[in-house]
Amino acid sequence: MEFILKNYSCSLCSNEETKLLLTKQGFSIVKCSYCGFVYVNPRVENMQLASIYKHSYFKNMGYGYVGYEQEKRLRIKNFERWLKDAGTYVPVTNPLFSLDVGCAAGYCMELMNTKGWTAKGLELDEEMCEYLQLSGYDISKSSIEDFESENLYSVITLFDVIEHIPDIDKVFSKLNDLLTKDGVIIMVTPDHNSFQRKLLGKRWFQYKPIEHIHYFDRNSLKAFADRNGLQVIYQNNCGQYADIQFLVNRLSYYHFNFLAKLLKTVFRILKLKDKYVYTDTGSLFVVLKKK
Ligand SMILES: [Zn+2]
């Protein structure tokens, strides 16, 4: 695919002066000279970016998720864990309407429905939407920016979504509009200030400059929330569940091939093939409320 690139100013402070942090896959990842926010510039132009998500994003085409559905078991464990971690902040109300932004294969909606919530999902991928509609899910083929709703939501989730979005302020302000008075927004996003990013540098798995266009940390996320009428009520480091195949894939990605082979052997000897562990992958977990 031929990418159309465009220059954008800093989403956090609107300035255009930047310092080059690194280049990856031919893209420059830069740091704003004024506020320090990290983003890709120039990047895939907004219209083309939206079209990437519309068509088979979840199939492996050099971007997107590799084997999203194959990793179903682990993904469900992640969503379970994240909803549980935010559990004490979720308002007690019945019925409880929830919204999962970028719901992919619907695993998180499935969990929400199991909790007795009434879940709705937003997804851009056309095939995924059709599949979910046929499976009986309440789904809109829409971005969060364009989503119109009569309903307000007590829980809104954006798991690994916000780093993909071009207009962050528009999204935060929309989330505020869609949230009930005591509702919560739960987010997971790569943390640019994480130990993993500092350790792995340019090789950090989350540097995916085609689709991860903004790189948050605790301060920048708080700043966007603040100026859109939201407040951070809880934040923590966050990771995900990994099984042996996940760990081997990740180690191979980082070219730790010897370690990958060793791990595979250890797991086989100890018969741990179907076991999984929670690993800190350098993400940030945030719960937000209205101010
Ligand atoms: Zn800036």
Side-chain angles (χ1 to χ4, degrees):
M1 185 189 273
E2 191 75 11
F3 288 119
I4 307 157
L5 300 185
K6 201 179 158 188
N7 278 292
Y8 292 91
S9 57
C10 173
S11 292
L12 188 52
C13 76
S14 305
N15 276 296
E16 284 174 4
E17 218 170 286
T18 58
K19 206 174 77 193
L20 179 68
L21 270 191
L22 61 107
T23 54
K24 193 163 180 177
Q25 297 167 318
F27 287 82
S28 299
I29 298 178
V30 301
K31 187 172 188 166
C32 172
S33 301
Y34 290 86
C35 74
F37 192 47
V38 175
Y39 59 103
V40 179
N41 203 46
R43 66 163 197 249
V44 178
E45 176 273 331
N46 289 347
M47 293 288 282
Q48 192 184 30
L49 196 60
S51 82
I52 288 178
Y53 297 119
K54 273 185 200 153
H55 304 289
S56 306
Y57 176 69
F58 295 96
K59 288 185 189 143
N60 181 15
M61 295 172 70
Y63 48 83
Y65 288 96
V66 181
Y68 189 91
E69 281 172 88
Q70 283 90 317
E71 287 183 11
K72 178 172 183 176
R73 187 179 68 138
L74 295 174
R75 292 193 183 277
I76 290 176
K77 292 291 293 174
N78 294 339
F79 295 140
E80 242 171 23
R81 165 100 184 209
W82 296 339
L83 290 180
K84 186 165 164 266
D85 285 350
T88 49
Y89 305 100
V90 172
V92 180
T93 173
N94 193 10
L96 188 155
F97 293 99
S98 64
L99 178 69
D100 186 32
V101 181
C103 66
Y107 306 148
C108 189
M109 291 170 71
E110 192 179 326
L111 270 176
M112 288 168 162
N113 288 333
T114 315
K115 284 174 171 290
W117 303 355
T118 306
K120 179 171 183 71
L122 301 184
E123 179 51 55
L124 289 173
D125 189 297
E126 287 173 357
E127 275 180 43
M128 209 57 116
C129 277
E130 253 171 61
Y131 159 78
L132 287 170
Q133 257 150 10
L134 287 173
S135 314
Y137 284 101
D138 180 4
I139 178 105
S140 288
K141 191 165 64 187
S142 170
S143 67
I144 177 72
E145 298 95 311
D146 297 334
F147 177 56
E148 296 294 337
S149 169
E150 306 261 293
N151 239 334
L152 295 181
Y153 296 90
S154 293
V155 176
I156 305 178
T157 48
L158 295 94
F159 294 141
D160 294 311
V161 167
I162 194 74
E163 63 275 16
H164 296 254
I165 287 175
D167 193 337
I168 307 164
D169 278 306
K170 198 169 173 188
V171 168
F172 271 70
S173 141
K174 187 58 168 260
L175 292 172
N176 195 347
D177 291 345
L178 290 169
L179 197 64
T180 59
K181 201 159 59 67
D182 58 352
V184 290
I185 300 161
I186 314 167
M187 280 186 194
V188 168
T189 187
D191 183 359
H192 199 264
N193 203 29
S194 63
F195 170 72
Q196 282 79 355
R197 198 275 302 167
K198 290 171 189 164
L199 177 76
L200 297 161
K202 190 177 170 170
R203 290 196 290 174
W204 189 40
F205 186 76
Q206 299 291 5
Y207 282 134
K208 300 178 192 174
I210 297 168
E211 73 261 40
H212 287 184
I213 55 178
H214 291 119
Y215 296 85
F216 295 86
D217 59 21
R218 290 178 186 221
N219 291 334
S220 53
L221 210 121
K222 184 177 177 300
F224 282 110
D226 250 355
R227 70 186 188 200
N228 287 289
L230 296 166
Q231 56 174 325
V232 175
I233 54 168
Y234 176 76
Q235 56 186 347
N236 207 348
N237 298 342
C238 166
Q240 60 193 82
Y241 283 95
D243 61 9
I244 177 63
Q245 200 50 52
F246 179 97
L247 292 170
V248 166
N249 290 349
R250 202 48 77 85
L251 285 171
S252 306
Y253 175 87
Y254 288 127
H255 307 295
F256 296 136
N257 293 326
F258 172 72
L259 219 61
K261 262 187 194 159
L262 181 72
L263 200 69
K264 221 171 172 172
T265 311
V266 170
F267 268 67
R268 198 182 57 236
I269 292 167
L270 298 177
K271 295 190 168 58
L272 295 173
K273 199 167 74 64
D274 293 322
K275 292 276 182 282
Y276 41 79
V277 284
Y278 193 71
T279 50
D280 187 336
T281 47
S283 281
L284 180 59
F285 182 88
V286 186
V287 182
L288 302 155
K289 256 187 121 154
K290 273 182 192 286
K291 270 189 188 166

